[in-house]
Amino acid sequence: GNSVTQMEGPVTLSEEAFLTINCTYTATGYPSLFWYVQYPGEGLQLLLKATKADDKGSNKGFEATYRKETTSFHLEKGSVQVSDSAVYFCALSERGSTLGRLYFGRGTQLTVWP
Amino acid sequence: DAGVIQSPRHEVTEMGQEVTLRCKPISGHDYLFWYRQTMMRGLELLIYFNNNVPIDDSGMPEDRFSAKMPNASFSTLKIQPSEPRDSAVYFCASSLRKLSYNSPLHFGNGTRLTVT
């Protein structure tokens, strides 16, 4: 079946530190991969995405590369800011499926201190 | 683009009462999803609709939960009777087409439900 596993949080960093949040997946087909971010009191919003092996999604200084050989889609940022404090969700959707749903990880809480 | 609109933002009710959560998806979106978020279980898909028709309700926890989509611009999630373990944040989300690289989910800001 389809599932996503994320590193457990919380992750606490100082401003300007390097961030990595690990994400691995299992899928019955060839999925598209996503990172969503949830700021306090809000719903999730799309952060970045990738559709095929070796694609790199990027947005707001965040990057993630679709690694088919390791079934991974790790989120990275070179220098985090206090405003990046949020919960980050890795997710996949099955391409070509007649079903229309996303499979989410459990989420990783990130707190950045000034 | 007004985004996905949910109401109310907060709901506090007593055990045994009926609760109705409301959602207005983004205009033109064909898919609508209801999720529940708790600390213990994370984000759970409860049910989703395509063109107002329920496609997968396997995530609905019990018969106390029901969801309807009478038209393309409105959906409700009802809990009757409510129990304290139903306390959670309930999110509605919509997508333009079947979820894909070019058709991501758009979430509302959620309804925080507290059942005492």
Side-chain angles (χ1 to χ4, degrees):
Chain A
N2 298 308
S3 67
V4 175
T5 303
Q6 290 180 235
M7 64 184 283
E8 290 196 19
V11 174
T12 304
L13 295 172
S14 297
E15 206 164 27
E16 299 183 3
F18 184 85
L19 168 71
T20 300
I21 300 178
N22 290 338
C23 170
T24 57
Y25 67 89
T26 58
T28 53
Y30 194 163
S32 295
L33 301 173
F34 305 84
W35 277 99
Y36 280 77
V37 58
Q38 182 181 26
Y39 297 104
E42 299 182 8
L44 283 70
Q45 55 186 273
L46 180 65
L47 178 61
L48 54 83
K49 58 188 178 181
T51 189
K52 62 183 187 297
D54 300 326
D55 266 3
K56 178 184 284 188
S58 61
N59 186 24
K60 300 181 181 179
F62 291 89
E63 294 182 340
T65 301
Y66 190 144
R67 300 289 187 200
K68 194 166 185 286
E69 64 277 12
T70 55
T71 62
S72 65
F73 193 54
H74 305 320
L75 182 68
E76 296 182 336
K77 187 174 185 182
S79 176
V80 293
Q81 306 299 312
V82 172
S83 57
D84 294 327
S85 297
V87 182
Y88 292 82
F89 292 87
C90 187
L92 72 82
S93 70
E94 242 185 86
R95 288 189 297 167
S97 170
T98 56
L99 302 178
R101 60 171 294 179
L102 268 178
Y103 297 83
F104 283 96
R106 289 293 306 269
T108 302
Q109 171 78 54
L110 169 67
T111 302
V112 180
W113 296 100
Chain B
D1 183 353
V4 176
I5 299 172
Q6 291 186 246
S7 64
R9 284 301 308 271
H10 302 275
E11 177 79 39
V12 180
T13 190
E14 291 184 349
M15 182 174 64
Q17 297 298 305
E18 177 179 295
V19 175
T20 300
L21 312 181
R22 297 173 175 80
C23 175
K24 176 178 168 53
I26 293 173
S27 177
H29 280 197
D30 290 340
Y31 283 78
L32 183 138
F33 302 77
W34 282 101
Y35 284 88
R36 178 171 68 177
Q37 185 178 40
T38 60
M39 290 293 290
M40 291 294 293
R41 302 169 72 94
L43 200 62
E44 302 173 274
L45 176 64
L46 300 178
I47 185 171
Y48 76 92
F49 296 83
N50 175 215
N51 291 325
N52 313 336
V53 176
I55 301 301
D56 183 355
D57 65 354
S58 60
M60 296 286 263
E62 302 170 32
D63 291 345
R64 297 184 297 105
F65 286 70
S66 63
K68 294 182 180 179
M69 192 164 186
N71 57 62
S73 59
F74 184 66
S75 176
T76 59
L77 178 67
K78 186 175 294 186
I79 309 172
Q80 166 64 17
S82 58
E83 296 183 3
R85 60 195 169 113
D86 301 332
S87 298
V89 180
Y90 291 81
F91 287 104
C92 177
S94 69
S95 68
L96 181 61
R97 296 178 294 275
K98 187 178 68 174
L99 285 173
S100 68
Y101 179 79
N102 291 315
S103 182
L105 268 181
H106 296 261
F107 281 79
N109 285 336
T111 295
R112 180 174 294 278
L113 173 65
T114 303
V115 183
T116 61

